[in-house]
Every structure is written in structure tokens, then in C-alpha cells.
Amino acid sequence: MVVQVGNIQIGGPQFTVIAGPCSIESENQFMTTALAVKTSGAAMLRGGIWKMRTSAKAFQGLGIEAFDIIKKVKAATGLGLVSEVTDVRQIEEIAHIVDGYQIGARNMHNYSLLKELGRQPKPVLLKRGFSAFIDEWIKAADYVLAGGNENVILCERGIRTFETATRNTLDLNAVVYAKKHTQLPVIVDPSHAVGIAELIPQLCYASAAAGADGLIIEAHPNPAQALSDGPQALTLETFDKTMKQLERVLAAFDRRLQKA
Ligand code: PEP
Ligand code: MN
């Protein structure tokens, strides 16, 4: 099944890369990132407005202050945006500036939020909970589908295992399983899966080879200064190199990158 997100199609023959910072931090940071990832071949932007941080003391996102920044960046790049909603009230608040709603790993089991998104016209990118069985993830998608919103994209973002050397463990089994057992597009978030920037390019190539429909990748102009998830943010230069190699991997499977 193909899901339309703004101007792009996810789940068709082409491979879609969504990229941007973990959090929108400032106009300069988001604009610089967006223009660069577009030049490198990303078809859609990501960027957090409200963040689900483990610590209440950590940066929680700009909230409504991000809205004007988003309008300027979308106008300058012509790219669509997916951003996370953490509360049903935010669905309406950001309807005018997003092309798709992201449900974060921590909210995969928030069925009232999923039911509300089932009543919305815009697509939903549903992250897998880090301790969710594949079956629970697929059933969570059903909450959105059952409400009448058929535009759901599954996103594997790594699960908790006994391993501590990496942030999570990318479960490529889940990608091939979900592709086989559902009609929904499946994308991979290698950034949260591994949590270490230098390991991300290889996971991008592996995801493409495994048959994912796309990727959602965190990038930042200055990862050391990032207000969230700096250790896993690709520099804009590394993002560009990764996209070039990704195109070669895709070509081996007779696929190519979707251009915005
Ligand atoms: C994110 O995309 O920045 C994020 C918080 O992801 P997850 O919900 O997968 O942890
Ligand atoms: Mn993040």
C-alpha cells in the first residue's frame, strides 16, 4: 500500500528518506539542516516540537515557538514535515504545519491518542515501542486504521535487548516480518536504534537491502551542540555521503531515491 504524505508517496517503488534534527532548536539550526538534507536528497523533514525526554530536566522542545520557524523552513525548502504529537490536544494545534503525525515509541501503547488519529485525515508514522512485540505494534496500527485513517506507516526504531553497547538493537526481523504480514509501508529509524552516529550509515544500507520503504534519520549542523540526541546526529557532511552510498545500494535492488 502506498501512503501519501504531503507531496510524497511512501511504500511505492521508490525509497523515501525523511531527515532533520531530533528537536527544532532555532530558525538557524532548522533552516541550515533542512536546506542541506534537501540538497542531499531527503524528500521530507523531521523535527521535534514537543519532546518525550526521559528526564524532566532535559530540553522539552520549543513547543508553539517552533511554529513560525517551521512555516519559514517549509516555505524555503518546499519540503513536508512529520512531527511527533504527545497529546491529543497537539493534533489540532499542529494540523496546519505538519504533513504527517509521528507517534513516538513511548506512546505506541497510548490507545486514546491512536484512536483520535484514526479520525484525522493526515497520515500517521507509528514508531514501534522499544519493548513492544511486533504483534503489539501491528495491533497498535489497527487502532488508527479502525478509525478510518488508512494512512499508517510503520517505523522500526530499535528495541531494548540485553545489549548495552548500543542505545537499542535494530530489529531488521521486524522490518521483513511487517512487510510480509501487513500491507503497510515500513520505514527504519537507525538513529534511535543504534544511538551512535558513526554506526548509522551501515544501518541505513542494511535497511534498504532488507526491503524497507524508507528511513527517518537525525542530522544536525553541529551535533556536539544539539539540545537532544547529539551523539546520534549525523553531521550534514556525513548525511550527504551516506545518501550517495545509499543510492548505490538501492540501485543494486533496482530502486531509487524519491525526490521531493
Ligand atoms: C524521535 O524521533 O526524536 C523520538 C523521540 O523517537 P522515539 O519515539 O522512537 O524514541
Ligand atoms: Mn531523537
Side-chain angles (χ1 to χ4, degrees):
M1 196 182 113
V2 173
V3 172
Q4 185 81 29
V5 188
N7 297 328
I8 64 161
Q9 286 99 35
I10 303 184
Q14 295 183 350
F15 189 88
T16 306
V17 175
I18 304 169
C22 178
S23 305
I24 296 170
E25 300 171 1
S26 67
E27 182 176 334
N28 183 39
Q29 173 249 16
F30 195 38
M31 188 71 85
T32 306
T33 308
L35 290 170
V37 298
K38 181 183 181 179
T39 303
S40 302
M44 175 136 308
L45 298 173
R46 62 151 288 140
I49 300 171
W50 294 283
K51 298 304 299 178
M52 296 287 286
R53 305 303 300 283
T54 300
S55 167
K57 295 195 182 82
F59 176 63
Q60 301 287 310
L62 288 183
I64 58 171
E65 274 179 54
F67 292 6
D68 281 342
I69 297 172
I70 291 169
K71 285 179 200 151
K72 286 184 193 159
V73 169
K74 288 186 80 175
T77 60
L79 295 183
L81 173 73
V82 291
S83 194
E84 181 173 353
V85 280
T86 61
D87 180 301
V88 283
R89 291 166 293 191
Q90 293 164 359
I91 297 171
E92 197 54 45
E93 273 188 289
I94 63 169
H96 65 298
I97 45 170
V98 298
D99 299 276
Y101 295 110
Q102 180 176 319
I103 289 293
R106 290 161 189 78
N107 267 319
M108 190 209 84
H109 299 280
N110 185 340
Y111 301 125
S112 51
L113 187 53
L114 297 176
K115 279 183 190 169
E116 189 53 43
L117 287 167
R119 292 189 272 270
Q120 304 298 322
K122 288 202 170 145
V124 177
L125 194 161
L126 179 64
K127 297 265 198 117
R128 178 181 179 192
F130 42 62
S131 298
F133 293 126
I134 297 170
D135 182 57
E136 291 173 310
W137 180 40
I138 292 171
K139 287 193 167 102
D142 284 339
Y143 273 94
V144 182
L145 301 170
N149 185 350
E150 293 182 348
N151 303 307
V152 178
I153 299 152
L154 295 171
C155 179
E156 158 60 31
R157 48 78 74 209
I159 52 171
R160 238 171 222 184
T161 64
F162 55 80
E163 185 53 69
T164 56
T166 56
R167 183 175 182 180
N168 291 287
T169 297
L170 176 60
D171 183 9
L172 285 177
N173 292 6
V175 176
V176 292
Y177 185 97
K179 285 296 291 176
K180 184 140 188 75
H181 293 280
T182 77
Q183 301 294 312
L184 302 173
V186 182
I187 70 168
V188 172
D189 172 351
S191 307
H192 294 87
V194 71
I196 303 167
E198 65 176 353
L199 305 184
I200 288 170
Q202 287 77 7
L203 298 184
C204 293
Y205 314 143
S207 301
D213 293 295
L215 293 163
I216 179 165
I217 306 171
E218 290 187 343
H220 194 287
N222 185 353
Q225 300 290 314
L227 298 181
S228 61
D229 285 349
Q232 67 193 36
L234 294 188
T235 62
L236 303 178
E237 296 72 27
T238 305
F239 180 78
D240 189 65
K241 282 191 198 136
T242 304
M243 291 292 276
K244 292 199 169 79
Q245 180 66 12
L246 177 65
E247 291 202 68
R248 291 191 276 269
V249 174
L250 289 168
F253 291 87
D254 292 322
R255 300 184 76 191
R256 56 197 172 80
L257 271 183
Q258 170 154 201
K259 301 289 180 199

